[in-house]
Amino acid sequence: MLDRLPFLVGLRYVRAKRRNHFISFISLTSMLGLMLGVAVLILVLSVMNGFDHELRTRILGMVPHAKIESRVGMVEWESLAEELMQRERVIGAAPFVEQQGMFSVGGRNQGAMVNGINPDWEDRVSIIGEHMTQGELADLVPGEWNVVLGSMLARSLGVGVGDRVTLLVPEASITPAGVFPRLKRFTVSGIFSVGADLDANLAYANIEDMQTLARLGDAIGGLRLQLDDLFAASSETQAILNELGPEYLGSDWTFSHGNLFQAIQMEKRMIALLLTVIIAVAAFNIVSTLVMVVTDKSADIAILRTIGAKPSSIMGIFIVQGMAIGLIGIAMGVAVGVLLALTIADLIGWVEGTLGIQFLDAGVYFISDLPSRLQWDDVSRIVLAAFGLTFLSTLYPAWRAARVQPADVLRYE
């Protein structure tokens, strides 16, 4: 019976209606604080995981993991592409010609990066084909001077499929009549949308048309590579350059978007640390609750000691009581946090539709909707951290209860 004493009495203290309502209020506050801290931490980490996942799939799905360029022009690119595809980490390669320019139509001007691509090869390195809202990449036929625009770029220019736009490139053409900027009329054949800032500053044209515009002849700008592990992009690019020789140049996604990814990782760690403090505060509220319970139940403790209860059993009673309060709060926090993490995107969408506002501007936050990606590993770590903090908060009150001397307490009873 004495072995079961801590569980029986500790759980009884949790269920019993206390005469001291202030103690009950502090217990409820501790429980709700743990619930709030756990729920918010699960939700925030899920949203940060969502941002991280969207960065990898959307932005890095459009941006090449690595690029290999030649100082003297790359003509025999098919053989080089096949050679690079033999590497263990390279899972895709495609040719490209990049050209910065400015689209102009009806007095509206917008700068953009135009990628000359081969539609038959592009799906090896990009997810652009999966995000076409109008038209297809196959419409980029050589000689027809078609272009695919990002949705925000098309909206800022006020154009749609079938409209014509003028591309001005930062190079001059020298003619007998003088020096004129180089420009070319394109027909909008498609529009894509990935829900990121790329929609506002990226366009695609056929690689042969861009070779003609850039006066490259049969040469291309370089090869874009897709890797099986984007975090190996820097080392793999350097290894390729070491094999190819000094006439080749290379870059990877960390040059263009590495700072964003690092910022998200840093914010995730810092937010997790700060929100863990909330859980710690709520957990250590259990200290004050149990200290007051020990004072209130000192007579009960003395009686238990006189009938043979050991100090360790007395400690167990209050550890069980504190852990019961903590586990209830943690369980409710997990339930609320998981529910919010799974529904936050729909909830925010409903609020935006009801109030007619937009919380995330793709031009600022890279994506236009709030992502959430629940990872059970994070939930497990949060539960273990909250459990550990709760257990630590019960040790001092339990130790204090074990030191109660029956003679000193019963003397005044």
Side-chain angles (χ1 to χ4, degrees):
M1 180 66 181
L2 291 179
D3 293 336
R4 300 172 56 195
L5 182 67
F7 293 96
L8 294 175
V9 179
L11 294 178
R12 180 182 177 85
Y13 282 172
V14 174
R15 296 193 306 267
K17 295 182 179 179
R18 297 185 179 89
R19 292 169 296 176
N20 191 329
H21 295 291
F22 183 68
I23 297 177
S24 301
F25 175 75
I26 295 297
S27 298
L28 180 62
T29 301
S30 303
M31 194 179 299
L32 293 178
L34 276 171
M35 180 193 73
L36 180 63
V38 170
V40 170
L41 187 52
I42 291 174
L43 174 61
V44 171
L45 289 185
S46 297
V47 171
M48 297 302 294
N49 290 332
F51 273 102
D52 177 71
H53 181 260
E54 292 299 320
L55 173 65
R56 298 191 192 189
T57 56
R58 291 193 186 187
I59 299 178
L60 296 182
M62 299 285 290
V63 175
H65 292 175
K67 294 192 297 185
I68 303 298
E69 300 173 83
S70 175
R71 299 178 188 271
V72 296
M74 191 179 296
V75 179
E76 301 295 334
W77 61 269
E78 292 94 341
S79 59
L80 178 59
E82 294 299 328
E83 178 184 343
L84 294 178
M85 284 288 293
Q86 301 303 316
R87 299 182 64 87
E88 181 180 357
R89 290 200 173 277
V90 179
I91 59 176
F96 74 92
V97 172
E98 283 185 346
Q99 178 67 67
Q100 287 187 337
M102 182 175 67
F103 286 103
S104 178
V105 58
R108 298 184 179 183
N109 302 303
Q110 184 68 40
M113 174 67 74
V114 184
N115 281 338
I117 63 171
N118 186 323
D120 297 331
W121 289 61
E122 190 62 17
D123 61 350
R124 303 182 183 187
V125 298
S126 173
I127 61 172
I128 175 64
E130 303 172 8
H131 292 274
M132 296 292 298
T133 58
Q134 299 181 51
E136 298 178 354
L137 286 182
D139 296 331
L140 298 178
V141 179
E144 294 191 3
W145 297 95
N146 291 332
V147 66
V148 172
L149 303 179
S151 58
M152 296 176 65
L153 177 60
R155 187 162 54 249
S156 64
L157 293 172
V159 298
V161 173
D163 294 333
R164 295 179 65 83
V165 295
T166 300
L167 175 64
L168 292 83
V169 298
E171 297 180 8
S173 298
I174 301 176
T175 68
V179 179
F180 295 93
R182 190 181 305 171
L183 52 86
K184 184 63 182 179
R185 296 273 285 178
F186 284 83
T187 300
V188 178
S189 64
I191 294 175
F192 70 87
S193 175
V194 293
D197 68 329
L198 300 176
D199 293 340
N201 53 37
L202 190 60
Y204 290 89
N206 187 274
I207 190 170
E208 294 185 21
D209 293 341
M210 295 306 297
Q211 285 174 312
T212 301
L213 183 62
R215 298 177 179 177
L216 295 176
D218 294 332
I220 64 171
L223 291 173
R224 295 192 293 171
L225 305 180
Q226 186 83 356
L227 307 179
D228 62 349
D229 182 6
L230 62 90
F231 294 106
S234 296
S235 59
E236 185 67 14
T237 302
Q238 189 59 50
I240 292 173
L241 293 178
N242 292 337
E243 292 183 7
L244 295 180
E247 65 271 18
Y248 288 92
L249 301 173
S251 62
D252 60 83
W253 67 272
T254 59
F255 286 90
S256 57
H257 293 86
N259 290 338
L260 174 64
F261 182 81
Q262 293 174 2
I264 290 178
Q265 295 299 309
M266 179 61 71
E267 289 175 2
K268 180 180 176 181
R269 287 191 291 267
M270 294 306 298
I271 289 175
L273 178 61
L274 293 175
L275 293 180
T276 301
V277 174
I278 296 178
I279 298 178
V281 171
F284 283 104
N285 277 340
I286 297 176
V287 175
S288 57
T289 301
L290 294 182
V291 166
M292 287 185 288
V293 171
V294 169
T295 302
D296 187 53
K297 301 294 184 181
S298 58
D300 295 354
I301 296 171
I303 294 173
L304 289 172
R305 290 295 305 278
T306 59
I307 62 176
K310 298 178 181 179
S312 59
S313 297
I314 302 300
M315 285 190 65
I317 290 172
F318 294 96
I319 289 177
V320 168
Q321 182 184 3
M323 292 303 298
I325 295 173
L327 289 176
I328 293 172
I330 293 170
M332 291 191 300
V334 170
V336 173
V338 170
L339 179 62
L340 288 176
L342 295 176
T343 60
I344 188 65
D346 295 333
L347 180 61
I348 293 297
W350 177 81
V351 172
E352 289 180 339
T354 302
L355 301 180
I357 60 176
Q358 185 176 11
F359 290 107
L360 295 178
D361 183 357
V364 177
Y365 297 101
F366 281 79
I367 58 176
S368 56
D369 54 351
L370 185 67
S372 178
R373 187 176 179 85
L374 180 66
Q375 294 185 358
W376 291 106
D377 288 344
D378 287 339
V379 176
S380 300
R381 285 192 288 267
I382 292 169
V383 170
L384 289 176
F387 184 87
L389 290 172
T390 301
F391 176 75
L392 291 176
S393 67
T394 64
L395 295 181
Y396 171 73
W399 173 78
R400 182 171 173 176
R403 294 187 63 196
V404 170
Q405 298 299 322
D408 295 337
V409 175
L410 297 178
R411 179 184 307 166
Y412 303 103
E413 293 293 330

